[in-house]
Amino acid sequence: MAVNRLMRTALRALSYTEVDLGDQYQFQKKIISIANHRHKLPYKVWDHVVAYENHAIPVRIFTPSENESKSILLFFHGGGWVTGFIDSYNRVCASLAEMTGCTVVSVDYRSAPEYRFPAAPEDCYRVAREIFLDSSLFQTEADQITLMGDSAGGNLAAAVSLMARDRGEFLPARQILLYPAAYHDHTDRSPYASARSSEKKYLLTAKRINDYMALYMADEKDLQNPYFAPLASKDFSNQPSTLIITAEHDPLRDEAEDYGRRLEQAGNTVEVHQIPNALHGFFTMPPVFSQVRDCYKIINDFLNAKK
């Protein structure tokens, strides 16, 4: 199926050229920062920090304009663990709050390569731990909190769920993973056809994913760590009720859908939906696009079914 021209044009701003990311990531991040310079925001937000070891983790809280929400979406942004940050997802999180009626808590975890794995998942886990273990923070019980992330953020949401099970301090009831990175190899040796057949038409290519992972990992052994690549896990049991949404034209499509199969085979409740005629990153576009509207319908059906 041909990719909708309007969607392709809108996502061109997210296009990933084939230059060496190791040399260009700072420039790319600066461009994103300029494009998302935070003037007065047209929606209500609160900034907060979570203390962790020798640093503070910024979080930003978005509330729906109507009705006080008791449900929370704990959101981890995308950007390949490298180029994303809290300001670059302001409009996404504001739309998410409005379209779902949930309070959205966006986490500004430490990014690579200045802070390599496991800095990002540890930051995300720390924020989740604070929110899950202290219901007084938002007057919200643990079963009303859903982990959510897109791309690298989807990877982090899955990692936090695995960490929570392994550490035994809390366990999320739900997670929503939007086109998550779940495997460690996106070369021609990948077992996943969507990665092997990746072309420039995808905007995000397999080469670029490998570039991001090279900046993110601290050691080759990280590739086999399930908190780095969730499909490396030897145990997929005792995980949250999971919604996975993939994009038809995305090199991450097959590995994300396989992660859903592994979770389901281990006895978890899983929904996997592939959005036709969609590219990686489509969820960051406004809801005027049909693919984004379809995605929100799936998300709301999932959230409402669990209430």
Side-chain angles (χ1 to χ4, degrees), residues 149-177:
D150 71 316
S151 192
N155 166 281
L156 292 169
V160 169
S161 291
L162 292 170
M163 294 165 77
R165 178 201 63 196
D166 295 344
R167 296 178 182 182
E169 294 185 293
F170 64 91
L171 188 65
R174 291 171 300 278
Q175 62 179 348
I176 299 173
L177 314 178

PDB file of all heavy atoms in Angstrom, residues 149-177:
ATOM      1  N   GLY A 149       4.882   4.570  25.907  1.00  0.00           N
ATOM      2  CA  GLY A 149       6.010   5.202  25.232  1.00  0.00           C
ATOM      3  C   GLY A 149       5.969   4.897  23.752  1.00  0.00           C
ATOM      4  O   GLY A 149       5.323   3.940  23.311  1.00  0.00           O
ATOM      5  N   ASP A 150       6.650   5.727  22.976  1.00  0.00           N
ATOM      6  CA  ASP A 150       6.726   5.503  21.537  1.00  0.00           C
ATOM      7  C   ASP A 150       8.178   5.289  21.129  1.00  0.00           C
ATOM      8  O   ASP A 150       9.077   5.961  21.620  1.00  0.00           O
ATOM      9  CB  ASP A 150       6.114   6.671  20.761  1.00  0.00           C
ATOM     10  CG  ASP A 150       6.953   7.931  20.818  1.00  0.00           C
ATOM     11  OD1 ASP A 150       7.446   8.283  21.912  1.00  0.00           O
ATOM     12  OD2 ASP A 150       7.135   8.573  19.758  1.00  0.00           O
ATOM     13  N   SER A 151       8.416   4.313  20.241  1.00  0.00           N
ATOM     14  CA  SER A 151       9.737   4.044  19.690  1.00  0.00           C
ATOM     15  C   SER A 151      10.728   3.702  20.811  1.00  0.00           C
ATOM     16  O   SER A 151      10.536   2.720  21.527  1.00  0.00           O
ATOM     17  CB  SER A 151      10.198   5.243  18.861  1.00  0.00           C
ATOM     18  OG  SER A 151      11.329   4.920  18.087  1.00  0.00           O
ATOM     19  N   ALA A 152      11.771   4.513  21.009  1.00  0.00           N
ATOM     20  CA  ALA A 152      12.683   4.266  22.130  1.00  0.00           C
ATOM     21  C   ALA A 152      11.932   4.332  23.453  1.00  0.00           C
ATOM     22  O   ALA A 152      12.263   3.611  24.407  1.00  0.00           O
ATOM     23  CB  ALA A 152      13.821   5.281  22.119  1.00  0.00           C
ATOM     24  N   GLY A 153      10.911   5.186  23.545  1.00  0.00           N
ATOM     25  CA  GLY A 153      10.099   5.265  24.751  1.00  0.00           C
ATOM     26  C   GLY A 153       9.273   4.009  24.974  1.00  0.00           C
ATOM     27  O   GLY A 153       9.024   3.604  26.113  1.00  0.00           O
ATOM     28  N   GLY A 154       8.827   3.373  23.876  1.00  0.00           N
ATOM     29  CA  GLY A 154       8.140   2.095  24.000  1.00  0.00           C
ATOM     30  C   GLY A 154       9.077   1.020  24.514  1.00  0.00           C
ATOM     31  O   GLY A 154       8.700   0.167  25.315  1.00  0.00           O
ATOM     32  N   ASN A 155      10.306   1.060  24.034  1.00  0.00           N
ATOM     33  CA  ASN A 155      11.348   0.170  24.543  1.00  0.00           C
ATOM     34  C   ASN A 155      11.528   0.360  26.052  1.00  0.00           C
ATOM     35  O   ASN A 155      11.621  -0.609  26.811  1.00  0.00           O
ATOM     36  CB  ASN A 155      12.650   0.460  23.793  1.00  0.00           C
ATOM     37  CG  ASN A 155      13.892  -0.136  24.441  1.00  0.00           C
ATOM     38  OD1 ASN A 155      14.408   0.411  25.415  1.00  0.00           O
ATOM     39  ND2 ASN A 155      14.391  -1.230  23.897  1.00  0.00           N
ATOM     40  N   LEU A 156      11.550   1.610  26.493  1.00  0.00           N
ATOM     41  CA  LEU A 156      11.750   1.903  27.911  1.00  0.00           C
ATOM     42  C   LEU A 156      10.551   1.484  28.750  1.00  0.00           C
ATOM     43  O   LEU A 156      10.710   0.998  29.876  1.00  0.00           O
ATOM     44  CB  LEU A 156      12.052   3.383  28.093  1.00  0.00           C
ATOM     45  CG  LEU A 156      13.399   3.836  27.536  1.00  0.00           C
ATOM     46  CD1 LEU A 156      13.499   5.359  27.521  1.00  0.00           C
ATOM     47  CD2 LEU A 156      14.553   3.227  28.323  1.00  0.00           C
ATOM     48  N   ALA A 157       9.335   1.658  28.219  1.00  0.00           N
ATOM     49  CA  ALA A 157       8.151   1.209  28.958  1.00  0.00           C
ATOM     50  C   ALA A 157       8.191  -0.300  29.154  1.00  0.00           C
ATOM     51  O   ALA A 157       7.909  -0.810  30.250  1.00  0.00           O
ATOM     52  CB  ALA A 157       6.883   1.617  28.210  1.00  0.00           C
ATOM     53  N   ALA A 158       8.559  -1.039  28.097  1.00  0.00           N
ATOM     54  CA  ALA A 158       8.672  -2.491  28.218  1.00  0.00           C
ATOM     55  C   ALA A 158       9.769  -2.863  29.209  1.00  0.00           C
ATOM     56  O   ALA A 158       9.607  -3.792  30.019  1.00  0.00           O
ATOM     57  CB  ALA A 158       8.964  -3.103  26.841  1.00  0.00           C
ATOM     58  N   ALA A 159      10.892  -2.138  29.169  1.00  0.00           N
ATOM     59  CA  ALA A 159      11.991  -2.409  30.095  1.00  0.00           C
ATOM     60  C   ALA A 159      11.566  -2.172  31.541  1.00  0.00           C
ATOM     61  O   ALA A 159      11.884  -2.978  32.431  1.00  0.00           O
ATOM     62  CB  ALA A 159      13.191  -1.542  29.748  1.00  0.00           C
ATOM     63  N   VAL A 160      10.846  -1.081  31.798  1.00  0.00           N
ATOM     64  CA  VAL A 160      10.396  -0.781  33.156  1.00  0.00           C
ATOM     65  C   VAL A 160       9.460  -1.876  33.664  1.00  0.00           C
ATOM     66  O   VAL A 160       9.529  -2.281  34.837  1.00  0.00           O
ATOM     67  CB  VAL A 160       9.729   0.603  33.222  1.00  0.00           C
ATOM     68  CG1 VAL A 160       9.030   0.816  34.563  1.00  0.00           C
ATOM     69  CG2 VAL A 160      10.761   1.702  32.999  1.00  0.00           C
ATOM     70  N   SER A 161       8.604  -2.393  32.793  1.00  0.00           N
ATOM     71  CA  SER A 161       7.710  -3.478  33.211  1.00  0.00           C
ATOM     72  C   SER A 161       8.498  -4.725  33.592  1.00  0.00           C
ATOM     73  O   SER A 161       8.174  -5.402  34.574  1.00  0.00           O
ATOM     74  CB  SER A 161       6.723  -3.802  32.085  1.00  0.00           C
ATOM     75  OG  SER A 161       5.806  -2.742  31.897  1.00  0.00           O
ATOM     76  N   LEU A 162       9.526  -5.048  32.815  1.00  0.00           N
ATOM     77  CA  LEU A 162      10.373  -6.195  33.148  1.00  0.00           C
ATOM     78  C   LEU A 162      11.142  -5.945  34.444  1.00  0.00           C
ATOM     79  O   LEU A 162      11.257  -6.835  35.297  1.00  0.00           O
ATOM     80  CB  LEU A 162      11.345  -6.474  32.001  1.00  0.00           C
ATOM     81  CG  LEU A 162      10.723  -6.992  30.702  1.00  0.00           C
ATOM     82  CD1 LEU A 162      11.763  -6.985  29.577  1.00  0.00           C
ATOM     83  CD2 LEU A 162      10.151  -8.392  30.882  1.00  0.00           C
ATOM     84  N   MET A 163      11.661  -4.731  34.597  1.00  0.00           N
ATOM     85  CA  MET A 163      12.388  -4.386  35.819  1.00  0.00           C
ATOM     86  C   MET A 163      11.473  -4.462  37.037  1.00  0.00           C
ATOM     87  O   MET A 163      11.875  -4.949  38.109  1.00  0.00           O
ATOM     88  CB  MET A 163      12.973  -2.973  35.683  1.00  0.00           C
ATOM     89  CG  MET A 163      14.037  -2.853  34.611  1.00  0.00           C
ATOM     90  SD  MET A 163      14.406  -1.126  34.158  1.00  0.00           S
ATOM     91  CE  MET A 163      15.428  -0.629  35.546  1.00  0.00           C
ATOM     92  N   ALA A 164      10.255  -3.981  36.886  1.00  0.00           N
ATOM     93  CA  ALA A 164       9.312  -3.993  38.009  1.00  0.00           C
ATOM     94  C   ALA A 164       9.017  -5.422  38.448  1.00  0.00           C
ATOM     95  O   ALA A 164       8.971  -5.726  39.653  1.00  0.00           O
ATOM     96  CB  ALA A 164       8.029  -3.274  37.610  1.00  0.00           C
ATOM     97  N   ARG A 165       8.813  -6.309  37.491  1.00  0.00           N
ATOM     98  CA  ARG A 165       8.585  -7.720  37.850  1.00  0.00           C
ATOM     99  C   ARG A 165       9.807  -8.309  38.551  1.00  0.00           C
ATOM    100  O   ARG A 165       9.686  -8.985  39.573  1.00  0.00           O
ATOM    101  CB  ARG A 165       8.281  -8.521  36.587  1.00  0.00           C
ATOM    102  CG  ARG A 165       8.076 -10.021  36.840  1.00  0.00           C
ATOM    103  CD  ARG A 165       8.282 -10.836  35.596  1.00  0.00           C
ATOM    104  NE  ARG A 165       9.659 -10.720  35.103  1.00  0.00           N
ATOM    105  CZ  ARG A 165      10.029 -11.081  33.868  1.00  0.00           C
ATOM    106  NH1 ARG A 165       9.127 -11.553  33.022  1.00  0.00           N
ATOM    107  NH2 ARG A 165      11.285 -10.951  33.499  1.00  0.00           N
ATOM    108  N   ASP A 166      10.984  -8.036  38.002  1.00  0.00           N
ATOM    109  CA  ASP A 166      12.205  -8.644  38.533  1.00  0.00           C
ATOM    110  C   ASP A 166      12.568  -8.104  39.912  1.00  0.00           C
ATOM    111  O   ASP A 166      13.106  -8.835  40.754  1.00  0.00           O
ATOM    112  CB  ASP A 166      13.363  -8.408  37.566  1.00  0.00           C
ATOM    113  CG  ASP A 166      13.160  -9.101  36.226  1.00  0.00           C
ATOM    114  OD1 ASP A 166      12.299  -9.996  36.142  1.00  0.00           O
ATOM    115  OD2 ASP A 166      13.854  -8.723  35.255  1.00  0.00           O
ATOM    116  N   ARG A 167      12.271  -6.831  40.173  1.00  0.00           N
ATOM    117  CA  ARG A 167      12.671  -6.214  41.440  1.00  0.00           C
ATOM    118  C   ARG A 167      11.591  -6.345  42.511  1.00  0.00           C
ATOM    119  O   ARG A 167      11.875  -6.172  43.705  1.00  0.00           O
ATOM    120  CB  ARG A 167      13.031  -4.745  41.207  1.00  0.00           C
ATOM    121  CG  ARG A 167      14.242  -4.598  40.300  1.00  0.00           C
ATOM    122  CD  ARG A 167      14.610  -3.154  40.009  1.00  0.00           C
ATOM    123  NE  ARG A 167      15.752  -3.086  39.110  1.00  0.00           N
ATOM    124  CZ  ARG A 167      16.337  -1.961  38.704  1.00  0.00           C
ATOM    125  NH1 ARG A 167      15.861  -0.781  39.123  1.00  0.00           N
ATOM    126  NH2 ARG A 167      17.362  -1.997  37.890  1.00  0.00           N
ATOM    127  N   GLY A 168      10.355  -6.593  42.091  1.00  0.00           N
ATOM    128  CA  GLY A 168       9.309  -6.906  43.039  1.00  0.00           C
ATOM    129  C   GLY A 168       8.792  -5.754  43.882  1.00  0.00           C
ATOM    130  O   GLY A 168       8.151  -5.989  44.908  1.00  0.00           O
ATOM    131  N   GLU A 169       9.027  -4.507  43.462  1.00  0.00           N
ATOM    132  CA  GLU A 169       8.563  -3.369  44.266  1.00  0.00           C
ATOM    133  C   GLU A 169       7.161  -2.916  43.865  1.00  0.00           C
ATOM    134  O   GLU A 169       6.403  -2.402  44.688  1.00  0.00           O
ATOM    135  CB  GLU A 169       9.534  -2.200  44.118  1.00  0.00           C
ATOM    136  CG  GLU A 169      10.903  -2.475  44.689  1.00  0.00           C
ATOM    137  CD  GLU A 169      11.800  -1.251  44.622  1.00  0.00           C
ATOM    138  OE1 GLU A 169      12.160  -0.834  43.502  1.00  0.00           O
ATOM    139  OE2 GLU A 169      12.137  -0.710  45.692  1.00  0.00           O
ATOM    140  N   PHE A 170       6.800  -3.086  42.615  1.00  0.00           N
ATOM    141  CA  PHE A 170       5.468  -2.756  42.108  1.00  0.00           C
ATOM    142  C   PHE A 170       5.311  -3.475  40.777  1.00  0.00           C
ATOM    143  O   PHE A 170       6.294  -3.987  40.222  1.00  0.00           O
ATOM    144  CB  PHE A 170       5.295  -1.238  41.923  1.00  0.00           C
ATOM    145  CG  PHE A 170       6.217  -0.642  40.886  1.00  0.00           C
ATOM    146  CD1 PHE A 170       5.841  -0.528  39.559  1.00  0.00           C
ATOM    147  CD2 PHE A 170       7.484  -0.194  41.257  1.00  0.00           C
ATOM    148  CE1 PHE A 170       6.703   0.011  38.612  1.00  0.00           C
ATOM    149  CE2 PHE A 170       8.357   0.359  40.315  1.00  0.00           C
ATOM    150  CZ  PHE A 170       7.959   0.460  38.985  1.00  0.00           C
ATOM    151  N   LEU A 171       4.094  -3.511  40.267  1.00  0.00           N
ATOM    152  CA  LEU A 171       3.876  -4.121  38.956  1.00  0.00           C
ATOM    153  C   LEU A 171       2.764  -3.365  38.240  1.00  0.00           C
ATOM    154  O   LEU A 171       1.632  -3.311  38.729  1.00  0.00           O
ATOM    155  CB  LEU A 171       3.491  -5.598  39.077  1.00  0.00           C
ATOM    156  CG  LEU A 171       3.426  -6.353  37.744  1.00  0.00           C
ATOM    157  CD1 LEU A 171       4.815  -6.418  37.102  1.00  0.00           C
ATOM    158  CD2 LEU A 171       2.878  -7.756  37.940  1.00  0.00           C
ATOM    159  N   PRO A 172       3.069  -2.727  37.112  1.00  0.00           N
ATOM    160  CA  PRO A 172       2.029  -2.007  36.377  1.00  0.00           C
ATOM    161  C   PRO A 172       0.914  -2.943  35.930  1.00  0.00           C
ATOM    162  O   PRO A 172       1.149  -4.120  35.636  1.00  0.00           O
ATOM    163  CB  PRO A 172       2.795  -1.442  35.160  1.00  0.00           C
ATOM    164  CG  PRO A 172       4.236  -1.463  35.562  1.00  0.00           C
ATOM    165  CD  PRO A 172       4.384  -2.635  36.467  1.00  0.00           C
ATOM    166  N   ALA A 173      -0.294  -2.402  35.874  1.00  0.00           N
ATOM    167  CA  ALA A 173      -1.430  -3.180  35.384  1.00  0.00           C
ATOM    168  C   ALA A 173      -1.513  -3.156  33.866  1.00  0.00           C
ATOM    169  O   ALA A 173      -2.013  -4.102  33.246  1.00  0.00           O
ATOM    170  CB  ALA A 173      -2.728  -2.642  35.985  1.00  0.00           C
ATOM    171  N   ARG A 174      -1.024  -2.073  33.248  1.00  0.00           N
ATOM    172  CA  ARG A 174      -1.152  -1.901  31.798  1.00  0.00           C
ATOM    173  C   ARG A 174       0.096  -1.229  31.227  1.00  0.00           C
ATOM    174  O   ARG A 174       0.745  -0.424  31.907  1.00  0.00           O
ATOM    175  CB  ARG A 174      -2.358  -1.012  31.460  1.00  0.00           C
ATOM    176  CG  ARG A 174      -3.715  -1.624  31.740  1.00  0.00           C
ATOM    177  CD  ARG A 174      -4.809  -0.585  31.588  1.00  0.00           C
ATOM    178  NE  ARG A 174      -4.597   0.519  32.517  1.00  0.00           N
ATOM    179  CZ  ARG A 174      -4.960   0.504  33.792  1.00  0.00           C
ATOM    180  NH1 ARG A 174      -5.575  -0.547  34.292  1.00  0.00           N
ATOM    181  NH2 ARG A 174      -4.721   1.534  34.572  1.00  0.00           N
ATOM    182  N   GLN A 175       0.363  -1.529  29.954  1.00  0.00           N
ATOM    183  CA  GLN A 175       1.383  -0.796  29.215  1.00  0.00           C
ATOM    184  C   GLN A 175       0.934  -0.643  27.761  1.00  0.00           C
ATOM    185  O   GLN A 175       0.301  -1.545  27.197  1.00  0.00           O
ATOM    186  CB  GLN A 175       2.750  -1.481  29.298  1.00  0.00           C
ATOM    187  CG  GLN A 175       2.820  -2.863  28.705  1.00  0.00           C
ATOM    188  CD  GLN A 175       4.228  -3.459  28.799  1.00  0.00           C
ATOM    189  OE1 GLN A 175       5.198  -2.780  29.106  1.00  0.00           O
ATOM    190  NE2 GLN A 175       4.339  -4.765  28.510  1.00  0.00           N
ATOM    191  N   ILE A 176       1.266   0.521  27.193  1.00  0.00           N
ATOM    192  CA  ILE A 176       0.961   0.806  25.796  1.00  0.00           C
ATOM    193  C   ILE A 176       2.289   1.088  25.098  1.00  0.00           C
ATOM    194  O   ILE A 176       2.993   2.039  25.445  1.00  0.00           O
ATOM    195  CB  ILE A 176       0.019   2.016  25.657  1.00  0.00           C
ATOM    196  CG1 ILE A 176      -1.312   1.740  26.361  1.00  0.00           C
ATOM    197  CG2 ILE A 176      -0.213   2.345  24.179  1.00  0.00           C
ATOM    198  CD1 ILE A 176      -2.237   2.953  26.419  1.00  0.00           C
ATOM    199  N   LEU A 177       2.625   0.252  24.124  1.00  0.00           N
ATOM    200  CA  LEU A 177       3.898   0.353  23.423  1.00  0.00           C
ATOM    201  C   LEU A 177       3.631   0.729  21.969  1.00  0.00           C
ATOM    202  O   LEU A 177       3.056  -0.062  21.208  1.00  0.00           O
ATOM    203  CB  LEU A 177       4.657  -0.976  23.492  1.00  0.00           C
ATOM    204  CG  LEU A 177       4.723  -1.665  24.861  1.00  0.00           C
ATOM    205  CD1 LEU A 177       5.477  -2.990  24.757  1.00  0.00           C
ATOM    206  CD2 LEU A 177       5.363  -0.754  25.904  1.00  0.00           C
TER     207      LEU A 177
END
